[in-house]
Amino acid sequence: MNKFKTLTDHVYDYIAEQILLGKIAPGEKVNENIICEKLSVSRTPVREALIELSCDGILENVPRKGFLVRTLTLKNLKEIYYVTGILEGEAAKLSCAKLEPQDLNDMRFYIDSMFLAIEQGNYNMYHKQQDIFHHTFIDKCGNETLIDTLAHLKNQLLKRSYDEDVNPDIKKILTDTNKEHEKIYELFLARDAEQVCLYLRDVHWRPFLAEFEVI
């Protein structure tokens, strides 16, 4: 699903990337002046991007403090995983018959790219590839409300840590997760809409995995 990006969108993406890379920490205020200077833009698109990030649950607009990176509790994370699993499973069921051979080839490519990224310790690339992998089928489901709702939920998981110093088991965790991507791919390849729905809901997004998120 291609969307023309406005200046506000570009500012949104920049701030989101800074959060993902850990350059703006949970609980930390986003400095509007620094963003304006870094991107050479006026305050208007920055303010609009901050409001959108707040609506997406990534930031909190705190009176007299400004926009802070939201800190999620384990309860928050488990609830997000639970709902995401249900909705992504439904998206997979809807898209299963609509995926073209090229879509499936692309999914295989993203899986292989993720294994390579894990091996090289390039976790930022892993994050990007797994996001594209999931969007390959989500964007084909044909339900715009479902697509937008999933995007809103997943945006809240933006700040996570792939730092081996923080989580020494990260390579094994991501390798196991990518093996689940392989299973999802195989179910799509078999055009098994019911099983891919259940697998995403009950295995890939099972709530206890939220414990591996470092927010």
Side-chain angles (χ1 to χ4, degrees):
M1 184 172 59
N2 295 321
K3 174 190 172 186
F4 173 76
K5 287 195 172 185
T6 65
L7 184 55
T8 298
D9 293 329
H10 286 292
V11 176
Y12 180 110
D13 290 344
Y14 173 79
I15 297 171
E17 184 175 31
Q18 296 302 295
I19 296 170
L20 177 63
L21 294 175
K23 295 183 178 180
I24 310 176
E28 184 178 343
K29 178 181 176 179
V30 179
N31 190 311
E32 295 182 42
N33 292 330
I34 290 177
I35 302 297
C36 290
E37 292 175 10
K38 186 70 177 179
L39 301 180
S40 299
V41 297
S42 69
R43 294 180 69 87
T44 299
V46 173
R47 174 57 60 136
E48 290 174 349
L50 291 172
I51 291 171
E52 287 186 22
L53 286 159
S54 180
C55 291
D56 283 343
I58 299 170
L59 301 179
E60 288 183 283
N61 189 2
V62 181
R64 296 183 296 279
K65 290 187 178 180
F67 290 90
L68 311 182
V69 178
R70 185 183 176 199
T71 301
L72 295 176
T73 66
L74 183 56
K75 180 177 182 293
N76 294 146
L77 290 166
K78 286 183 175 181
E79 290 174 352
I80 292 169
Y81 264 58
Y82 176 75
V83 177
T84 299
I86 293 171
L87 296 183
E88 193 166 290
E90 289 302 313
K93 185 191 294 187
L94 291 171
S95 67
C96 193
K98 300 176 183 177
L99 293 175
E100 302 289 342
Q102 186 58 52
D103 295 320
L104 295 168
N105 289 339
D106 289 344
M107 291 173 78
R108 180 68 258 180
F109 171 81
Y110 299 137
I111 291 167
D112 292 340
S113 297
M114 282 185 274
F115 277 129
L116 181 61
I118 295 166
E119 182 181 335
Q120 295 177 342
N122 190 343
Y123 302 127
N124 190 41
M125 179 56 68
Y126 168 87
H127 174 77
K128 291 178 179 178
Q129 292 295 307
Q130 67 88 22
D131 188 54
I132 298 170
F133 172 87
H134 283 267
H135 272 289
T136 302
F137 64 87
I138 291 171
D139 289 347
K140 286 292 185 80
C141 77
N143 187 315
E144 294 297 330
T145 300
L146 182 53
I147 293 169
D148 290 343
T149 303
L150 276 167
H152 175 77
L153 282 168
K154 290 186 174 186
N155 279 342
Q156 297 178 67
L157 301 175
L158 181 64
K159 178 63 189 85
R160 64 189 71 192
S161 176
Y162 295 132
D163 190 338
E164 291 183 62
D165 292 332
V166 174
N167 192 341
D169 296 326
I170 191 63
K171 281 197 173 184
K172 181 182 185 308
I173 292 168
L174 296 185
T175 298
D176 290 344
T177 299
N178 205 32
K179 288 177 181 178
E180 292 177 9
H181 291 143
E182 284 192 306
K183 179 63 176 179
I184 293 165
Y185 163 76
E186 290 167 2
L187 290 169
F188 275 127
L189 201 61
R191 303 293 181 177
D192 195 334
E194 291 297 330
Q195 285 304 310
V196 74
C197 173
L198 293 174
Y199 189 82
L200 280 158
R201 186 192 73 188
D202 299 335
V203 178
H204 195 62
W205 285 102
R206 53 199 183 278
F208 90 84
L209 290 176
E211 296 175 12
F212 295 117
E213 296 280 0
V214 180
I215 302 297

